Amino acid sequence: MTVQNFILLFIFISGSTRNLAQNFERLDIPVQSEGKILNLPFTGGLRSGQFSNIDFDGNGVQDLFVFDRNGDQVLPFVKTGPIGSLEYRYAPEYISIFPKMRNWSLLMDYNNDGVKDIFTSSSFYPACIEVWKGHKDNNGRLSFKLVKFDYGLHEILQIPVSGGYTNIYVSSIDLPGIADLDQDGDIDIVSFEPDGSYATMYQNVSKEENLGIDSLKFIRKDVCWGKFAENQFNDQITLSDDAFKCANGFVGGSNPGVRHSGSSLCIFDNDGDGDMDLLLGDLASSKLKRLFNGGNNTQALMTSVEIEFPVSDVKADIDIFLSAFYADADGDNIRDLIVTPNQVNNAENIQHVWLYKNTGTDSAPLFKLVKKEFLIDEMLFFNGGTHPAFADIDQDGLQDIVLGTTGITGKMDAKTNRMIFLRNTGSTTSPSYSVEDKDYLRFSQFNEFTGRFAPTFGDLDDDGDDDLLVGDSQGMMYFLNNTAGLGEPMSFSLPLYPYMDIFVGQNAKPQIFDLDMDGLKDIIVGEKNNELDFFKNIGTKGFPLFNKEVSQLPNTARLGQVFTSNDFNTQNGAPVFFIQEDEIWMLLGSEAADISAYNMIEGNIYNIFNLVYNKIGNINQGSKVTQALADIDGDGYYEMAVGNERGGLVFYNTIFRKDTMSSITEGVMNSESIFIFPNPTSNQIFVSAPSLFGPIILQDVQGHDLLELKNNEVADISQISPGMYFIKFISSKFVVSKKIIIL
């Protein structure tokens, strides 16, 4: 690296996070699907949403706060259009006001100050609740501050027990019920205990003890609220006939206890009689149960069960583990009902956000199903995890997108994995996209034994056009040769699978790139495990060849010694190499939702890449982030398409200038003037190279320097052991690597 480049790198690293973030703005690009312009294309998808109302813009109309349990993502939607309509604007400008949250998040105004507060799973302690108090300044700007207590563990809700305190328990997979159960003006909580089939009611006694409007003091009031019991192994409900006696819980075999497995609770007055009823979702069911409270506000007793809710309309039926949310969806100040899966990864992901319009009143609702794709029908949404790749498929000079997915999960479509083609229908300065083919190249035909398709394009066979390589969930790759020729719309041969018998482990995400700058395209593969694999092209121009064993040199499973995972040996790395200012850079998406940037890569494949920034632009789109780069608007900078496990796609500007590749091209051209004789050899070697190359180094396949060779001179190599080696021709801006065999 030159001194100038080092200084630039130092400035880049030393620059503030604020300056970086300002250069990674979201992009709004017109998108249409099936002839319809999408109004909410770039939310990033929605898999297991949790819905609450909040007035973001202070206009008195209730907007929607959505928290997606898949990826722990905040999705703000501002109500637009007339009252009674379902028109919204996606408003990502409000995301930053919310704290980092996980598992679940519900908004309630616990202190009755007119500003919603946050109840969410604790970021400090497992199975606990933390509360963030909402506040609006004089300009109406929202903010939230963590509520802390002066007893026990300061950051979580607790109850007194045995002279100390214990947490209000909420399993990480559950959704608690939060409502004013006793109608005394403060918020109470219902949640299942870890070792029982009963729902515990935690009463807020702030009113009873005159503790003030901002207080949150809870006691365990009822160990089996409503006196019902839920079966451990299915969704069976047992009722009690006594308001003061718990129903008999399920006891199976020799196990005298019942272990709770997973439930969601939505509590409100279902029948207009003034007490609180329950909508209950269960881990083992695709339905909801409605439990009617025949007791009163202070002594709940569930006296009847509606087995499949609602009996008056289309029954909620979504695989699997449903949750329900009583929220105003159309701005008429009458709360509706939204039903969606509470399961993160394996639940149904097609027609999975059901909106029931409340045609009754807020205190005596009557629900009618009006939509099964609430909000998602306006999104650029592809059901499962997405992996984008840019390519000019139709050769019109515009960058199209091919997107791999994890597929559709539903009752009729079990894991329909596929690829999608988005055609760029805009111009060189103003891109727009149209969803043209939802099963590109008919990849769904491979659905039975593979999936999680990850496409990448590159001229692997050096014939002038880009070929297609597709990684899959099995850790192997499909190769599709582009037979069209230079300048012609891409046309592919039948897939070769598994390509070169290469296997890397689950969730292969490849890229085609000449990483060692020897004029031959290599393959770099990210995977589920904590590894980044490099497969060197050991063939010749026009005839690529790869050793299938990543553990056998010159391949390596420790490329750049890059490891992004922390607590678990799971990286799901998604690498993208590119040229920026005559230097190779890498972006790496990961399981942990962040995108990292690395440089100092040339001539350094077997050593440590330099981590420049571990959270590029503070972009966080959820788990298993993937990305692709292209200059789609002709401004000389790369734009970035980001995929994620939630099934969507988001575009960003970047700070990375699109390199003309003049110096890299110059290096490849000059590599043609490099002369090595003889090869193979045994005792002597003669090398000749253009004068722009400085050191010429003989290295072993592990990257160790063995001998410095002199240009245009014969060198004695009789002391070098037989085997394969590389000669590195190093200039100020690039490195050319040539293979040599010593006999």
Side-chain angles (χ1 to χ4, degrees):
M1 175 174 289
T2 64
V3 173
Q4 181 183 15
N5 281 347
F6 179 82
I7 294 172
L8 289 173
L9 174 63
F10 178 79
I11 294 173
F12 182 77
I13 296 173
S14 303
S16 68
T17 301
R18 181 183 68 254
N19 290 335
L20 277 174
Q22 286 177 344
N23 289 280
F24 285 88
E25 303 94 353
R26 289 172 175 261
L27 282 175
D28 285 325
I29 299 172
V31 177
Q32 67 175 352
S33 178
E34 299 179 352
K36 170 187 173 181
I37 299 295
L38 300 179
N39 294 322
L40 308 170
F42 302 124
T43 65
L46 179 60
R47 289 286 296 274
S48 52
Q50 302 165 3
F51 297 78
S52 302
N53 284 127
I54 186 173
D55 184 3
F56 281 117
D57 51 10
N59 67 350
V61 177
Q62 290 298 301
D63 305 309
L64 274 180
F65 163 86
V66 183
F67 182 77
D68 195 341
R69 184 187 282 269
N70 187 306
D72 297 331
Q73 293 294 296
V74 170
L75 304 177
F77 296 93
V78 171
K79 180 74 179 70
T80 60
I83 300 300
S85 74
L86 299 176
E87 298 173 25
Y88 282 89
R89 175 182 70 85
Y90 179 54
E93 65 270 21
Y94 292 107
I95 294 176
S96 62
I97 70 174
F98 290 92
K100 185 175 178 59
M101 298 173 286
R102 62 178 185 174
N103 299 330
W104 61 271
S105 180
L106 297 170
L107 304 188
M108 308 288 294
D109 182 9
Y110 82 83
N111 54 5
N112 297 308
D113 64 353
V115 182
K116 292 295 179 71
D117 311 296
I118 303 171
F119 288 73
T120 186
S121 180
S122 173
S123 56
F124 298 97
Y125 308 103
C128 298
I129 303 174
E130 63 186 30
V131 180
W132 294 73
K133 185 191 298 186
H135 173 72
K136 279 190 176 181
D137 65 15
N138 293 333
N139 295 315
R141 289 189 292 261
L142 276 166
S143 61
F144 297 94
K145 183 178 180 180
L146 180 64
V147 177
K148 293 190 176 182
F149 305 92
D150 57 3
Y151 55 86
L153 299 173
H154 303 311
E155 300 88 356
I156 61 171
L157 294 182
Q158 299 153 90
I159 56 171
V161 59
S162 302
Y165 295 91
T166 189
N167 63 301
I168 294 178
Y169 179 88
V170 180
S171 164
S172 62
I173 66 171
D174 277 8
L175 191 70
I178 303 176
D180 184 3
L181 298 173
D182 51 13
Q183 300 290 291
D184 66 350
D186 55 25
I187 298 297
D188 309 300
I189 298 173
V190 178
S191 178
F192 279 89
E193 292 291 331
D195 58 350
S197 58
Y198 302 120
T200 297
M201 185 270 204
Y202 301 94
Q203 182 186 16
N204 188 346
V205 295
S206 297
K207 280 281 188 180
E208 287 78 359
E209 298 185 11
N210 297 313
L211 298 177
I213 193 170
D214 279 340
S215 177
L216 288 168
K217 182 178 180 181
F218 290 88
I219 62 170
R220 184 186 282 121
K221 180 64 179 295
D222 194 341
V223 297
C224 55
W225 179 76
K227 301 300 179 281
F228 69 94
E230 185 185 27
N231 193 306
Q232 176 190 10
F233 298 109
N234 56 47
D235 61 348
Q236 179 182 338
I237 299 295
T238 303
L239 302 179
S240 173
D241 56 5
D242 187 338
F244 299 95
K245 183 179 179 182
C246 303
N248 292 325
F250 174 82
V251 178
S254 60
N255 181 7
V258 180
R259 184 166 182 79
H260 168 66
S261 57
S263 298
S264 67
L265 299 95
C266 180
I267 298 174
F268 59 97
D269 187 357
N270 267 261
D271 51 11
D273 64 353
D275 55 31
M276 291 297 180
D277 309 297
L278 172 66
L279 282 183
L280 182 65
D282 185 87
L283 180 65
S285 177
S286 63
K287 310 291 178 60
L288 287 173
K289 285 183 168 55
R290 176 157 53 176
L291 282 68
F292 292 94
N293 189 352
N296 53 50
N297 290 328
T298 58
Q299 192 66 42
L301 175 66
M302 299 304 168
T303 54
S304 64
V305 180
E306 188 175 303
I307 300 299
E308 295 183 358
F309 165 87
V311 296
S312 59
D313 199 65
V314 180
K315 298 174 178 60
D317 188 2
I318 312 172
D319 277 347
I320 194 168
F321 191 11
L322 302 191
S323 54
F325 304 91
Y326 198 40
D328 183 5
D330 55 12
D332 63 357
N333 288 321
I334 300 174
R335 284 175 290 180
D336 310 293
L337 196 75
I338 303 167
V339 179
T340 190
N342 191 52
Q343 214 278 345
V344 174
N345 293 314
N346 298 317
E348 195 162 350
N349 60 14
I350 181 171
Q351 296 188 341
H352 62 289
V353 184
W354 290 24
L355 172 62
Y356 287 87
K357 166 71 176 172
N358 185 352
T359 60
T361 65
D362 197 68
S363 59
L366 181 62
F367 299 116
K368 181 178 178 57
L369 179 67
V370 296
K371 183 174 284 195
K372 292 185 177 182
E373 295 181 299
F374 179 50
L375 298 179
I376 60 175
D377 59 349
E378 295 289 348
M379 297 179 185
L380 194 59
F381 177 67
F382 301 108
N383 310 103
T386 51
H387 191 296
F390 284 109
D392 186 0
I393 301 296
D394 51 13
Q395 293 295 295
D396 63 352
L398 306 177
Q399 289 293 312
D400 309 305
I401 296 173
V402 173
L403 189 87
T405 78
T406 59
I408 300 170
T409 303
K411 297 181 184 67
M412 302 301 294
D413 298 287
K415 285 291 182 186
T416 305
N417 299 280
R418 62 210 167 106
M419 293 197 298
I420 292 95
F421 171 43
L422 288 80
R423 188 188 304 276
N424 189 340
T425 58
S427 67
T428 55
T429 58
S430 183
S432 62
Y433 286 94
S434 174
V435 181
E436 294 283 317
D437 189 342
K438 293 184 178 181
D439 189 9
Y440 184 58
L441 301 177
R442 294 185 61 247
F443 253 63
S444 64
Q445 66 185 299
F446 308 119
N447 177 68
E448 290 187 13
F449 59 92
T450 184
R452 195 175 282 275
F453 298 126
T456 187
F457 291 86
D459 188 5
L460 197 56
D461 57 5
D462 198 42
D463 64 352
D465 55 28
D466 282 346
D467 309 302
L468 174 59
L469 195 64
V470 182
D472 76 351
S473 59
Q474 304 301 311
M476 294 177 282
M477 292 175 287
Y478 297 83
F479 174 70
L480 293 85
N481 182 32
N482 184 358
T483 60
L486 183 63
E488 296 296 323
M490 292 186 182
S491 178
F492 298 102
S493 62
L494 293 176
L496 296 176
Y497 180 84
Y499 181 60
M500 297 280 181
D501 289 327
I502 291 172
F503 169 76
V504 298
Q506 297 180 59
N507 302 350
K509 291 175 282 292
Q511 188 189 10
I512 300 170
F513 192 87
D514 183 6
L515 197 59
D516 56 8
M517 302 309 297
D518 65 351
L520 303 176
K521 295 293 195 304
D522 309 304
I523 298 175
I524 304 97
V525 190
E527 55 167 294
K528 181 177 181 178
N529 295 326
N530 203 3
E531 296 174 346
L532 196 58
D533 302 323
F534 170 67
F535 292 87
K536 177 176 171 53
N537 189 341
I538 57 175
T540 59
K541 281 187 175 294
F543 297 95
L545 180 64
F546 299 91
N547 188 323
K548 68 178 181 179
E549 301 295 338
V550 71
S551 59
Q552 185 172 338
L553 294 169
N555 300 336
T556 178
R558 298 173 59 86
L559 179 65
Q561 299 184 35
V562 173
F563 307 102
T564 63
S565 63
N566 296 316
D567 298 331
F568 304 99
N569 188 31
T570 300
Q571 175 164 275
N572 270 303
V576 172
F577 289 86
F578 63 100
I579 305 297
Q580 130 99 350
E581 296 184 349
D582 296 338
E583 188 178 15
I584 298 175
W585 283 64
M586 179 182 73
L587 297 184
L588 186 68
S590 69
E591 176 85 21
D594 301 315
I595 302 174
S596 306
Y598 298 82
N599 69 354
M600 296 187 181
I601 295 170
E602 301 102 313
N604 203 33
I605 292 172
Y606 303 99
N607 298 307
I608 301 174
F609 293 171
N610 178 57
L611 176 62
V612 179
Y613 196 63
N614 64 353
K615 293 185 179 181
I616 276 291
N618 291 321
I619 293 170
N620 183 330
Q621 281 298 322
S623 63
K624 297 182 178 63
V625 170
T626 61
Q627 65 285 317
L629 292 176
D631 181 9
I632 60 176
D633 58 8
D635 65 352
Y637 287 84
Y638 289 108
E639 282 73 49
M640 182 165 59
V642 179
N644 61 68
E645 197 67 7
R646 294 182 293 125
L649 195 64
V650 181
F651 287 90
Y652 292 88
N653 284 313
T654 79
I655 61 172
F656 301 116
R657 185 181 295 275
K658 182 183 178 183
D659 200 287
T660 61
M661 299 188 71
S662 59
S663 64
I664 300 298
T665 302
E666 176 189 359
V668 173
M669 291 176 61
N670 277 295
S671 73
E672 301 299 327
S673 302
I674 290 174
F675 183 68
I676 300 174
F677 182 82
N679 189 11
T681 185
S682 56
N683 297 316
Q684 293 181 321
I685 189 76
F686 174 80
V687 295
S688 178
S691 60
L692 63 90
F693 291 102
I696 302 173
I697 307 296
L698 177 66
Q699 292 183 340
D700 62 20
V701 292
Q702 294 177 312
H704 300 138
D705 294 350
L706 303 179
L707 183 66
E708 182 170 350
L709 307 177
K710 294 188 179 300
N711 199 5
N712 295 312
E713 292 187 12
V714 175
D716 181 8
I717 56 171
S718 60
Q719 301 304 310
I720 305 296
S721 300
M724 184 172 70
Y725 296 85
F726 295 96
I727 298 180
K728 296 292 182 71
F729 298 82
I730 303 170
S731 78
S732 61
K733 293 184 177 180
F734 52 84
V735 176
V736 173
S737 177
K738 295 290 187 179
K739 181 174 63 177
I740 179 175
I741 302 297
I742 298 179
L743 303 174

